[in-house]
Amino acid sequence: VEHTEKQHDFSLSAVIEMECKITTFQDGYFINASFESAKEEIKEYAHKIERGFQLRYNPHTRSIDTLGTEREIIQALQEQKQEMNQLIESLAKMNKEKPREQFVNEREWKMLIDNFS
């Protein structure tokens, strides 16, 4: 793709350095052959940001939850356990039999959660 004087190949470091003007035209514009490659570069950059917490998408509320404390992590684990058990039960009903084993049994979950307490 041939670029004009104001068009540049997409480079996240160059994007970060460029001043963002809101009342005039930008000094330059970034072009990328693929939206997917730009998205992947941004995701890689975001994974390198150091922070003292994790983020988790909550599909029920369509929001991002912050997991920064042991209590928040334990709550997320308990929610995941409930969802896994519901899925296991649903699958068992589809197969018209009770689940013979669970992916994580009650004792294993309790040990995992007790280790965080």
Side-chain angles (χ1 to χ4, degrees):
V1 176
E2 193 174 316
H3 300 323
T4 67
E5 187 179 304
K6 285 190 156 199
Q7 295 174 329
H8 311 283
D9 286 329
F10 180 81
S11 161
L12 192 54
S13 58
V15 170
I16 292 169
E17 294 298 320
M18 182 176 274
E19 179 185 357
C20 181
K21 298 179 179 180
I22 58 172
T23 58
T24 63
F25 289 108
Q26 299 295 319
D27 293 332
Y29 300 93
F30 294 95
I31 309 278
N32 199 334
S34 156
F35 178 77
E36 288 299 317
S37 65
K39 185 172 85 171
E40 287 304 313
E41 190 173 343
I42 292 169
K43 284 169 78 173
E44 286 175 23
Y45 175 81
H47 284 296
K48 293 176 186 174
I49 298 172
E50 292 186 28
R51 54 184 178 250
F53 57 88
Q54 290 292 322
L55 300 175
R56 175 178 82 109
Y57 177 69
N58 184 332
H60 304 295
T61 60
R62 294 183 178 176
S63 62
I64 303 294
D65 293 338
T66 303
L67 302 176
T69 66
E70 288 181 9
R71 184 176 192 71
E72 291 167 337
I73 295 169
I74 290 169
Q75 182 177 350
L77 285 169
Q78 290 171 333
E79 290 170 7
Q80 291 296 311
K81 177 189 171 194
Q82 288 174 340
E83 289 182 27
M84 288 295 293
N85 285 335
Q86 286 175 337
L87 293 171
I88 291 166
E89 290 297 322
S90 296
L91 187 58
K93 287 178 184 177
M94 288 178 69
N95 292 325
K96 296 183 180 179
E97 62 183 37
K98 290 187 176 183
R100 294 188 183 126
E101 66 179 44
Q102 296 180 350
F103 292 113
V104 179
N105 66 39
E106 290 291 327
R107 185 175 59 79
E108 291 171 319
W109 274 105
K110 183 168 178 10
M111 285 175 37
L112 179 63
I113 291 170
D114 286 346
N115 286 335
F116 284 105
S117 301

